[in-house]
Each structure stands twice: as structure tokens, then as C-alpha cells.
Amino acid sequence: MDVVPPELNSLLPDEIMDTEAIVTDDDLPAVCPAPPNPLETQDAPVPMETEVPEIVTLCTAAPSIPVQRTQALTTLTSTDSTPSSGTGSTGTQLLLTPSSSTMTLQPTSLTLTAPKPSSPQVTGSLQKLSTPLALPANHQLILNKVASSPGSEAKPTMLKPDGQKLVLTTLGKAGQPIVLALPPGAGKAGTMLSPGDGKGQPQQFKVVTIGGRTDLKPIGVQAVSTASQLIGTSQTAQQGQQLKTLQITKKIPVSTAAPVITKYIITKALNSKGLTSQTSVSPVVTGRVLTQSTPGTPPRTITVADALSTSGGSKVAISPLKSPSKLTVVSVASPSPTSPQKSVAVPLSVALGQQILTMQQSTPTSPAKAGVSLSAQNVKPVQTVSMGGVPPQFKTIVPLATPPNVQQIQVPGSRFHYVRLVTASSGSHTVTGSSPSSVAGTIQPAKPMVVNSAAVRMSVPIVSAQTVKQVVPKPLTSASPQVVTSQQQRLIMPATPLQQIQPLPPGTLLAPAHGQGNMGYAVLSAPYVTQLQQSTIVTLASNSGFSTPSSVQTQARLPLNGLSASDSTSRPRKPCNCTKSQCLKLYCDCFANGEFCSNCNCTNCFNNLEHESERLKAIKACLDRNPEAFKPKIGKGKEGESDRRHSKGCNCKRSGCLKNYCECYEAKIMCSSICKCVGCKNFEESPERKTLMHLADAAEVRVQQQTAAKTKLSSQISDLLTRTTPTISSGGGKLPYTFVTKEVAEATCDCLMETAEQAELSNQSQAMAERVILEEFGRCLKRIINYAGKAKTDCC
DNA sequence: GAGTTTGAAACT
DNA sequence: CAGTTTCAAACTC
């Protein structure tokens, strides 16, 4: 069994997990469908967003590349999702030619094409990257733009403020990591990545390196420096950004070769201002990196294909959450082709906020082909259905056509919840454990195609999505359904406290992975994980050859609502009790919050994966009625007003806005000018409100004090009794001291507290109260001793 | 826990 | 857009 290495968790930058660091952008479209793939005509055309997503395609240009499986990644092409895009003189090209002898890559070219005519930066600029890459020693290739158009680097303005830098890194395979960095100029091309929302958001710069040797850290460093340069040159606003490099070492079994130690180096840009919203991390999938979330950037599709033969095709979709939220990366296993030479084009489709990054594996049958073809068009496995007006958070990707088994793994101390999806073909692998030390062991040596992935959370901008894309499960078209012994799917899902994220509906995409790669990845939002937990897991287990379904059952289960136990306690979600709405109307809080119902008391609930189609219809209906239906009701008020206010205002008539019927009061905010309430008492100077507040505060303090007192008392009593009992005798002999249980101590505390309260209520003096309490305590002790003695006697 | 009240959502 | 109905949560007893 593969277990997500705990190291991934520990090594992942905090910012990744920090939802607060996520930048939200309402303008981002939820999902960017990948451009139709000419090669895969059977797929229905992917609906396009209103905003045309740009696509970045990484593909290997050299079909004839020597079989050394390694970096087939040769071409990076970013094009507008528009089919016709990409032609234009405006394209920017980056040429990369690895000079390192150690590199198995054929001289290739990295081409970035930004078809956006409107972006001046891109226009007519052809940039070449210095091909002679340094670092042959460590097998690292870092692409830097050697000659860039004068404007690109020199002019920070060239980059849109919110422009995002695209850093493509590595794919390195055994000891040959490659880092591709798109310089600002390229980023321009990157305009594709950062469409001009004009939000002025700082660029994000992330470098992720996967695979390669253990000594890759330097790469990260270098990448960092590069990134820093880029940042410094391209974006003035982002000065002071810091980069962190994470290194994750994994042993990745290769099909026929000995296991290779692969290191994941995640370099992230940190905003010196506090790591906040500007940080994002490129998801690392199966040794591939692909994505960057770019808050404020328009929908874009990035497709990357690399020559990694070991990985299975997969698609990754990250659905934007209503607000920053956690994303889950799910690896999807698919039948792997029999082709020994695993040259696989792996289109990765990831939707970040409005970006979709499509990873797909084309399963070439050519035995000796290291060549990788990759294009956005290969996104076929995933079908995106446009749901007009559906918010991004509802962007949904329908479960895999061939649902995998899911195994949930919770790594102690990790904020991520891992769920592994295991395809039916998987053997009887069992989870080896989540201990950090088992990293290398987490991957079955027998699984040649297993690729490591890192859990990455990306910042997902809030999208005011006008469209919803739904990914429909596609039938596996991959060639040979050869059964692979180790097809595994791993779902990595960070679970963060809900309060940190806006509840998000399923925004996930699970695309059937094709090809040899046994791993696919998808990003799931927590609700989906919950659903998977509820349904898919079991279902899949049943129909799969998975020999140890029980193991699935016994896997650490995700806490409710995708929250860890601690998280759940921090903000438990109230279960709904809907009876007539099928939980498909806004009456239902779960639905309104974009969550699946989980552990609710509802009847005839349709707010789950089993009724995804109905649910989507309902979502659409709600959005038709009110496009803002799923947006947070509590938002920022106008200038001069309170920071928080109800977006629509309340309409209370009888509650005085001082009961929880009032949405303003419930949100603990005061009514504003837009409220239409009658007899409102929920305003700053309201005496009633102040009284309520004081009462509430007093009550809260009282509860806290009582709790603290009880705890302390319990501890003291327990300690006292524990120490004294052995010597306490009743009728001679020692009493069993095990009778002082927690329950006994607590019961004693309850008695004392009750006595204290009665004394307080009867207005007794403190001295008197203390006396009464002590007397009660004495009685309690006596009773305890008596019972203990009796128990001893009975026992004897 | 049952019944009532309340206001948002849905409907007309 | 206004009035009415439906609905589920909040509240009361």
C-alpha cells in the first residue's frame, strides 16, 4: 500500500496550508476547460468559459528522443484556450537546449506562446533561454531567459501587476531534475497565466522541483534566486519576497529499474509581508509540476506533458472554492497500458480558481518512445460541462468513470488528510502506515508506475463565476486495459478548519487516469472527500479486485466534514434537518454553504454525490434566481462602515434583530443601512443590544469559570484520593485505590459545584458557602470510602 | 421533545 | 417588485 509520506506534510510550507495566505479573486472564473483535443475527437468539446483560458502546454518535441526516460519535457507552449489561439506573431518562445551531457533530453525548445494580442509584453517577442544550462553536475537544468526582449525584463510594467510567473519545474527522473523557470518575460507569455484582471495582485512565484537527485536543494536555491530575480525585476510590488525551498525525498520505484531516490523540492515564494495571500504553490504531481494558482488571474489552462513513463495519466482539477480553501489532490489510477516503454504524455489539468491545469496521460503504445506529446487538447479524460451561472465553488467534476477505491489515511500531526484511491485492479496492498519513516516504503517496489505526489494546496481565488464547469466522467479510452499490480490512487486533501475556508462545494475533478501511469491526481475539496468517504470508498471497494476491502474500512477515516478532530471541535458544522427541500435549496445550510450533507438529520437528501446531477441543477437554479446566492452573505461594507456587514441586509420585523433569527445578529454584526428591518435594536448604541451582549459575556465567563473550577477540583480530588486511598481503611486492610476513577472524581465535583451553586443562590456568605461545600466534600469522601470498602469486601 | 415563532427563500 | 407560501432554524415551554 502506498501511503502518502508524512514528510510531505511536514515539509510542505506552512503557507500552503495557510488558508489565510490564499488570495481570493472574485473575478476568476472557476474552471478553465482544456481546449478541445484534436487528437481525441470522441470527447465532447469542452465548454469554454466566458473568459478564454489560456493554455500552457508543455510537451516534448522530440519523438525520437533517446529512450532514456527522463525529461522529455521540451516544449512549453502556452496558448489561449481558444483553438485558434497560439498562432500569432505575438507568441513568445523560450528555447531550451540542455547542454548537460548527463541530460538525456534532446535539444528541445521551450516555447511559450501567448496568443493574447492585447498583451503588449508578449507581442512579437521571442525569447530564448540560455540553452547551455549550467549545473550538469547535479543534473539540473534551469531555464533562464538569456535574451529577452528588451521590454520584458526591463519593464516591470510589462508584467501585469497581478501577473503570475509561471515556473515549471522539473520532472526530473532519476537523478535528472530539470527546472524550468519562466522568466518574467516568459511569464508574459505568461500573460496567459495572468490575465489582466487588473487587480494588481502581486505576482506569485513558485518553483517546484520534483524528482531528481537528492542533492537537488541547490536547485531550489537556484530556482529561488531566479525567482527572486524575476520578482525583483518584474514586480516592484513584490519586493522582499522570500522563497522557501522544500525538499522531499522519495523513493520512486521505476518500472524496471532500481528504485530511484527522488526528491521533491518545493520552492515557494513567500511574501515578506506576512505570507499572506500572495503565496501559492505549484502542485507537484507525479513528478510533475504544474500549476500555479494565480489569484486574480483569469481562467487558464495549463497542460504539461512530460516524458515520465512511470506515471499514469491523470487529470487534476482544482476547483475554486468560494473562498480560499483547501484543495485536495487526488491521484487517480487508471489501467495502465502494457507498453513497457512508458512514454506518456501527461496532460495535467488543474483548475485553480479559474485556472485549470490539465494533466493527462496519453498512453502511447509505441514501445520505444520517450517522446511526449502534450497539448491541452489531450484533456479528453475530463469532460467539463458548462453550467451557466454556476459558481466556481460548484464546479464539479464527476467521479471517475471507473471509480477507484479510496483509502483514507490520516497522518498524525499532519494537517492534510490523505485519501488514497485504489483502483479495482490493485492488488492486495495494504497501507504500510503513515509514519514518516516509511516514506520510502510507502511505495511498493513492485509498482513500477507509482509516482510520488505532494499534497499541495493552492490559493484559490474567490470567483464570481458565471459559469460552472462540470467534469463528467469519461470512459477510459486508454489503450490496453492491462492490469497493473499497483494501480493506486492517492488523494491528498488538506483539511483545514472550516472557518478558514469558505465552505465549498464539490469542486473536484476526478478524471480517469489512463495509461500506464498508475497514478492520477485530482484535487478535491473537502466535501468531496467526505462524499468519497461516504460512498465512493465503499462502492469502489466492492467492485474492485481489491482484496482487502476491509483495510479500506479500517483506514483512518477522515473526520467529519473533512476536518480533523481538532478542527471539528473548533468549528463543528451543524447538521441540517431538512425534510422537504431535499437539501437542494438554500433553506439547507449545508447546500447554501456549498457543502455536501454529512452526518445530517435530513431526509430524502439529494445533497450528495449520488445525486450530483440534481444537485447541479439545483445549484444552477439558485444561481439563476440569484447569482450571488452562494457568495458569503457577510462581506465588507462600504467605506466608512463596519468592516463586516450583511450583503443584503436583514428584514426582521419581530425579533428586533436581537435574536438569531436575524442573520446580522447571528453573524454577530450590527445591522447596516441596507437592512430593512423593523424595530431594529441591533445597532451600536442600542441598550438592549448592550444588555444582551453583557449577559452573553457574563454567561460565557460563568461557563468558563465553572468549567475551569470543575476541572481543577476534579484534578485535586482525584489526586487526593489517589494518594490517600491505599492507606484508607474500612474495617481494616487497605482499600483498593482503583476505585477513584475519573467518573468518581467528576461526580464528586458535580456534587460540590451543585452545593456551591445552591449556596450562591441562597445568598449565603462566602464562609458559609465554603463550609457547606466542605461538608459536602466530606460526605462524598465518606461515601467513596464506604463503597470502596464494600467493594473490597464483596470481592474478597 | 413538541410546538411555536421567525425570517429567508421560494414561489406567484 | 410586491405579496404569499414554504421551509428550516431558532426559540419557548
Side-chain angles (χ1 to χ4, degrees):
Chain A
M1 286 295 188
D2 288 348
V3 176
V4 175
E7 287 82 349
L8 288 178
N9 288 329
S10 60
L11 293 177
L12 284 175
D14 291 339
E15 306 83 81
I16 294 176
M17 298 307 299
D18 185 1
T19 53
E20 294 178 357
I22 295 173
V23 177
T24 62
D25 186 344
D26 290 343
D27 296 339
L28 290 179
V31 174
C32 294
N37 183 355
L39 298 178
E40 296 177 350
T41 56
Q42 67 275 22
D43 289 343
V46 178
M48 291 298 173
E49 293 259 343
T50 53
E51 280 188 59
V52 178
E54 293 184 5
I55 298 168
V56 175
T57 301
L58 260 177
C59 62
T60 60
S64 62
I65 289 175
V67 182
Q68 306 184 3
R69 64 197 172 68
T70 43
Q71 314 306 342
L73 175 66
T74 56
T75 304
L76 172 63
T77 304
S78 75
T79 62
D80 206 320
S81 62
T82 309
S84 62
S85 66
T87 61
S89 57
T90 60
T92 297
Q93 286 186 339
L94 295 177
L95 298 179
L96 166 65
T97 302
S99 63
S100 172
S101 61
T102 60
M103 293 297 296
T104 59
L105 290 176
Q106 289 292 328
T108 60
S109 64
L110 173 62
T111 303
L112 255 177
T113 303
K116 282 207 171 185
S118 61
S119 44
Q121 308 94 328
V122 179
T123 304
S125 64
L126 174 65
Q127 298 176 348
K128 289 184 179 181
L129 296 177
S130 62
T131 51
L133 299 176
L135 307 175
N138 58 5
H139 303 283
Q140 297 178 356
L141 290 180
I142 294 179
L143 298 180
N144 274 327
K145 125 179 120 172
V146 178
S148 61
S149 62
S152 64
E153 261 188 353
K155 299 177 182 178
T157 56
M158 294 297 283
L159 292 177
K160 298 193 174 183
D162 57 351
Q164 172 181 357
K165 291 179 181 175
L166 171 63
V167 176
L168 294 179
T169 61
T170 187
L171 322 181
K173 289 221 148 190
Q176 295 177 346
I178 296 177
V179 176
L180 298 179
L182 295 181
K188 209 84 9 333
T191 45
M192 16 184 260
L193 292 180
S194 60
D197 283 19
K199 294 261 179 170
Q201 302 208 354
Q203 288 181 348
Q204 296 181 359
F205 193 90
K206 306 290 179 186
V207 176
V208 176
T209 301
I210 300 175
R213 316 168 9 156
T214 57
D215 56 348
L216 292 181
K217 202 142 194 177
I219 297 175
V221 174
Q222 188 153 359
V224 171
S225 63
T226 303
S228 298
Q229 275 188 339
L230 293 176
I231 292 170
T233 57
S234 63
Q235 184 171 6
T236 59
Q238 284 297 315
Q239 293 178 356
Q241 273 194 348
Q242 299 175 356
L243 294 175
K244 278 188 181 178
T245 299
L246 292 181
Q247 209 171 20
I248 301 169
T249 301
K250 254 195 167 182
K251 187 178 283 185
I252 300 176
V254 181
S255 61
T256 58
V260 176
I261 298 299
T262 300
K263 278 193 175 184
Y264 291 151
I265 295 179
I266 299 174
T267 302
K268 64 180 176 180
L270 298 180
N271 187 337
S272 60
K273 291 181 179 179
L275 313 175
T276 52
S277 44
Q278 305 305 331
T279 58
S280 68
V281 175
S282 302
V284 176
V285 177
T286 330
R288 297 176 184 77
V289 172
L290 285 191
T291 243
Q292 264 184 329
S293 74
T294 338
T297 59
R300 300 200 179 281
T301 298
I302 299 172
T303 300
V304 176
D306 69 336
L308 285 179
S309 60
T310 59
S311 65
S314 65
K315 289 190 176 185
V316 175
I318 297 173
S319 72
L321 302 182
K322 220 182 221 180
S323 65
S325 90
K326 53 202 163 195
L327 294 179
T328 300
V329 177
V330 177
S331 68
V332 177
S334 66
S336 64
T338 59
S339 172
Q341 302 288 343
K342 311 143 174 185
S343 48
V344 178
V346 180
L348 239 189
S349 173
V350 175
L352 293 181
Q354 307 223 348
Q355 288 184 338
I356 293 176
L357 191 139
T358 301
M359 284 181 66
Q360 178 180 3
Q361 265 188 347
S362 65
T363 57
T365 57
S366 171
K369 238 359 162 303
V372 174
S373 69
L374 140 8
S375 64
Q377 298 95 358
N378 286 335
V379 185
K380 165 182 175 185
V382 174
Q383 184 173 2
T384 301
V385 176
S386 167
M387 298 287 290
V390 180
Q393 60 267 38
F394 284 102
K395 196 181 321 174
T396 300
I397 292 170
V398 176
L400 301 175
T402 55
N405 292 328
V406 176
Q407 291 183 344
Q408 300 175 13
I409 300 166
Q410 175 142 19
V411 178
S414 169
R415 297 171 63 184
F416 282 98
H417 292 291
Y418 299 101
V419 175
R420 184 176 64 184
L421 303 180
V422 180
T423 57
S425 62
S426 357
S428 62
H429 299 294
T430 58
V431 175
T432 57
S434 59
S435 115
S437 62
S438 65
V439 174
T442 57
I443 296 177
Q444 296 288 329
K447 303 172 183 178
M449 307 309 240
V450 175
V451 179
N452 292 331
S453 69
V456 176
R457 188 183 60 183
M458 304 165 193
S459 59
V460 178
I462 294 175
V463 180
S464 62
Q466 297 297 326
T467 61
V468 168
K469 307 229 166 145
Q470 178 180 5
V471 176
V472 176
K474 274 212 152 206
L476 293 176
T477 57
S478 62
S480 60
Q482 176 184 3
V483 175
V484 176
T485 58
S486 70
Q487 290 180 350
Q488 290 188 350
Q489 296 179 343
R490 181 171 51 193
L491 178 149
I492 301 171
M493 175 182 115
T496 55
L498 282 181
Q499 62 259 37
Q500 291 183 359
I501 62 169
Q502 288 292 333
L504 254 204
T508 306
L509 148 52
L510 286 179
H514 295 266
Q516 305 170 351
N518 300 318
M519 304 280 294
Y521 297 87
V523 176
L524 296 182
S525 61
Y528 255 106
V529 172
T530 301
Q531 289 297 308
L532 286 173
Q533 170 180 344
Q534 294 174 344
S535 59
T536 308
I537 297 174
V538 175
T539 302
L540 294 178
S542 63
N543 66 5
S544 68
F546 193 66
S547 62
T548 59
S550 61
S551 67
V552 173
Q553 306 278 344
T554 58
Q555 295 288 326
R557 298 188 67 81
L558 283 176
L560 297 181
N561 302 327
L563 296 177
S564 63
S566 58
D567 291 341
S568 297
T569 57
S570 62
R571 192 227 174 195
R573 181 177 71 88
K574 274 195 298 187
C576 71
N577 301 295
C578 307
T579 58
K580 298 182 178 179
S581 66
Q582 296 179 321
C583 296
L584 290 182
K585 296 199 172 177
L586 295 177
Y587 298 128
C588 177
D589 283 348
C590 302
F591 180 79
N593 289 332
E595 300 175 12
F596 284 114
C597 285
S598 174
N599 295 319
C600 294
N601 304 315
C602 44
T603 58
N604 196 22
C605 179
F606 275 45
N607 186 25
N608 50 42
L609 273 179
E610 286 78 10
H611 301 87
E612 191 62 20
S613 59
E614 291 89 347
R615 186 171 180 268
L616 287 172
K617 287 178 184 176
I619 292 168
K620 188 175 184 301
C622 287
L623 288 170
D624 288 343
R625 285 189 293 266
N626 175 21
E628 316 279 308
F630 295 100
K631 287 190 174 181
K633 289 180 178 178
I634 308 302
K636 192 164 175 131
K638 296 177 182 176
E639 247 173 78
E641 295 186 1
S642 174
D643 283 346
R644 295 173 67 241
R645 75 165 188 175
H646 198 285
S647 60
K648 291 169 55 183
C650 68
N651 300 291
C652 306
K653 293 175 177 61
R654 305 174 66 89
S655 67
C657 298
L658 289 181
K659 292 190 176 179
N660 282 333
Y661 298 126
C662 175
E663 292 192 348
C664 298
Y665 181 82
E666 186 180 29
K668 294 181 170 57
I669 58 177
M670 282 173 286
C671 290
S672 65
S673 58
I674 61 174
C675 291
K676 295 175 278 295
C677 43
V678 177
C680 180
K681 296 172 183 174
N682 185 24
F683 54 93
E684 183 69 41
E685 294 80 12
S686 169
E688 291 89 349
R689 175 179 163 277
K690 288 181 179 176
T691 301
L692 266 180
M693 291 299 181
H694 290 156
L695 288 174
D697 290 344
E700 186 175 357
V701 169
R702 180 182 176 83
V703 169
Q704 290 176 350
Q705 288 178 341
Q706 286 185 346
T707 302
K710 185 176 178 180
T711 302
K712 184 178 179 181
L713 202 55
S714 175
S715 174
Q716 290 175 343
I717 292 174
S718 177
D719 182 62
L720 177 65
L721 295 180
T722 301
R723 280 185 286 140
T724 57
T725 47
T727 59
I728 294 174
S729 62
S730 173
K734 289 183 179 180
L735 293 174
Y737 50 85
T738 55
F739 65 87
V740 185
T741 64
K742 182 183 176 183
E743 289 74 17
V744 171
E746 288 183 350
T748 303
C749 290
D750 289 337
C751 291
L752 299 183
M753 290 301 298
E754 180 64 21
T755 303
E757 288 186 3
Q758 289 179 356
E760 184 180 355
L761 291 175
S762 58
N763 293 325
Q764 294 181 0
S765 65
Q766 182 174 352
M768 192 62 181
E770 289 176 352
R771 178 175 179 172
V772 172
I773 294 171
L774 284 175
E775 289 174 352
E776 176 63 21
F777 182 52
R779 285 191 290 271
C780 289
L781 275 179
K782 192 174 180 179
R783 272 176 284 180
I784 293 170
I785 293 169
N786 289 338
Y787 279 110
K790 185 179 179 181
K792 180 185 176 185
T793 301
D794 294 342
C795 180
C796 295

